[in-house]
Amino acid sequence: MAKQEEQKVQSPEAGNMELLTVTLEERFQTIPLFGRIKADNRLMIFPEIQGKILPFEKAFREGTAYQKGETILNFDSEEIRLQLQSSKSRFKTLVARVLPDIKMDFPDSFPNLNAWYSSLHPGKAVPDLPDINDPQLRQFLSSRGILDNYYQIKSAESKLQKFTIAAPFTGTLSMAQAEAGQVVGPQFHLGTLVDPTSFILEASVDRQEIARIETGSSIDVFDQNRSSTWSAVIERINPSLDPKTQMVSIYLSVEGDDLREGMYLEGALPSKKGSFLARIPRSALSRTGEVYVVENDAIKQRPVEVINIENEHIWVSGLRNGDRIVANAKPAYSGLKLQHAGS
């Protein structure tokens, strides 16, 4: 740290000046991180079918919470449900017609297929086909339309399930724009479900610093007022540069209370590389980014690089141990001659 000398100096042109003696300290640089957080689990809700929204079981509004597996929206599926029941009824009749031939021509496979037939019901999901290892039996079922009808019904059952949208994780609606009775299609954005307990902070880092960043490293992040602090862990590093900024994106997981999507957070990642720096008053730095150093009772300019900024002081590189610098750069200039006060 730069220390103030007990003895002041003066110059005929600038009057009294205070000099500081520089002492270098090893400082481990930090890599600043900042950005806005977004929910790690985030689902934009679009219907996969076209249909009319049924009355809500729970108000579909911003702030409404859902447990994993809970129904978010239901669509009117009465027509397709009745069509599916009709198809299942016809399918069971079709299977019944081929069972006598199977019993006669494929007696070893008949018990399993007969039991499967008995489980068919128009109001229930069609159970999976039993294993058919006999190529001739599979060819026989295919020629009678059994396999084709089976897969058509399974496809219709899958489509019917899409008339209900359930929460894939426990979360809360951050956006909702659906109304009961509204007819919507696959391109309509119904809302957004987010997990309010886990967030991702995306930050940009200079590509020259990325080699010193490791996944799994933990840092503290804080809000703009520095009133709250949370722990963040580096989860991922983007292998590509942003073509616009030439920066590398890193992604940190953040968890804790009082976090909200869209919050601006910042922090600093400790670097493994240390540098010897000088801590000097901010007033010692000229507007052109230089410090005035005393050499042979004369002032000379020396450029420095500002590494870190504090309230009243700055950390700079470019100075040496024992250098004497002018504490206030305003009245100083290069070539100014000095003499001890009282001489």
Side-chain angles (χ1 to χ4, degrees):
M1 184 182 299
K3 299 179 180 179
Q4 184 172 333
E5 289 188 339
E6 295 181 359
Q7 191 172 21
K8 297 183 179 180
V9 295
Q10 63 181 6
S11 71
E13 298 89 346
N16 291 338
M17 289 186 177
E18 293 181 350
L19 298 183
L20 306 176
T21 301
V22 170
T23 301
L24 299 183
E25 295 182 22
E26 186 176 16
R27 297 278 294 182
F28 288 90
Q29 300 176 18
T30 59
I31 302 170
L33 304 174
F34 52 87
R36 298 190 184 277
I37 60 173
K38 61 181 180 180
D40 190 13
N41 286 334
R42 181 185 183 91
L43 174 69
M44 298 180 69
I45 305 173
F46 289 86
E48 296 185 65
I49 45 82
Q50 180 169 331
K52 183 175 71 174
I53 300 174
L54 295 177
F56 307 126
E57 297 180 8
K58 183 185 289 187
F60 190 79
R61 294 290 182 267
E62 290 86 352
T64 301
Y66 295 90
Q67 297 297 314
K68 182 178 180 180
E70 186 177 0
T71 298
I72 299 177
L73 291 172
N74 275 314
F75 295 86
D76 185 4
S77 61
E78 184 66 14
E79 181 178 354
I80 190 173
R81 184 180 61 82
L82 292 174
Q83 290 177 353
L84 182 58
Q85 286 185 353
S86 176
S87 297
K88 290 178 181 179
S89 180
R90 292 195 301 270
F91 180 65
K92 186 169 185 177
T93 300
L94 182 63
V95 174
R97 292 174 180 172
V98 301
L99 281 178
D101 293 334
I102 293 175
K103 185 177 182 179
M104 180 176 295
D105 298 334
F106 307 96
D108 294 339
S109 301
F110 176 76
N112 286 340
L113 286 172
N114 188 52
W116 174 73
Y117 164 78
S118 299
S119 66
L120 297 176
H121 190 281
K124 298 180 181 179
V126 173
D128 293 338
L129 271 172
D131 292 334
I132 302 174
N133 299 320
D134 189 336
Q136 291 184 340
L137 175 57
R138 177 169 286 277
Q139 183 178 2
F140 172 77
L141 294 175
S142 179
S143 66
R144 296 298 190 274
I146 302 297
L147 298 183
D148 182 56
N149 278 268
Y150 167 77
Y151 290 117
Q152 286 184 13
I153 290 175
K154 298 300 286 185
S155 175
E157 288 179 342
S158 177
K159 183 178 181 180
L160 183 62
Q161 293 177 352
K162 297 175 182 178
F163 281 75
T164 298
I165 298 178
F169 53 83
T170 298
T172 303
L173 288 175
S174 66
M175 192 273 278
Q177 54 180 10
E179 299 291 341
Q182 189 177 12
V183 177
V184 296
Q187 301 301 319
F188 191 86
H189 183 196
L190 298 169
T192 302
L193 183 73
V194 300
D195 179 356
T197 62
S198 179
F199 297 90
I200 287 292
L201 170 63
E202 180 180 353
S204 296
V205 176
D206 190 284
R207 63 185 180 86
Q208 296 178 347
E209 302 284 358
I210 205 67
R212 294 185 278 176
I213 297 178
E214 298 179 353
T215 56
S217 301
S218 299
I219 66 168
D220 289 334
V221 293
F222 41 84
D223 57 15
Q224 287 179 290
N225 298 326
R226 294 179 178 257
S227 57
S228 300
T229 303
W230 298 270
S231 179
V233 178
I234 299 176
E235 295 285 348
R236 295 173 282 123
I237 300 175
N238 196 322
S240 303
L241 284 175
D242 186 317
K244 295 181 179 179
T245 64
Q246 292 296 294
M247 304 282 277
V248 179
S249 294
I250 65 172
Y251 306 89
L252 301 91
S253 62
V254 188
E255 296 182 357
D257 298 330
D258 300 325
L259 288 171
R260 296 288 184 273
E261 190 172 44
M263 283 180 62
Y264 183 90
L265 299 180
E266 55 186 275
L269 185 68
S271 172
K272 295 181 178 179
K273 181 180 179 181
S275 301
F276 286 92
L277 307 177
R279 183 175 183 262
I280 64 174
R282 297 180 70 165
S283 60
L285 186 70
S286 70
R287 292 184 177 180
T288 57
E290 296 167 319
V291 170
Y292 292 102
V293 181
V294 179
E295 294 182 6
N296 299 323
D297 291 330
I299 290 178
K300 295 184 178 180
Q301 290 176 305
R302 184 178 299 172
V304 295
E305 180 182 359
V306 178
I307 304 300
N308 194 21
I309 300 176
E310 299 176 354
N311 290 333
E312 300 294 335
H313 293 80
I314 55 176
W315 289 88
V316 299
S317 63
L319 295 175
R320 298 187 294 265
N321 259 328
D323 279 343
R324 293 187 301 160
I325 65 173
V326 179
N328 188 350
K330 287 185 179 180
Y333 58 88
S334 183
L336 183 66
K337 296 294 183 178
L338 300 178
Q339 64 184 21
H340 292 286
S343 298

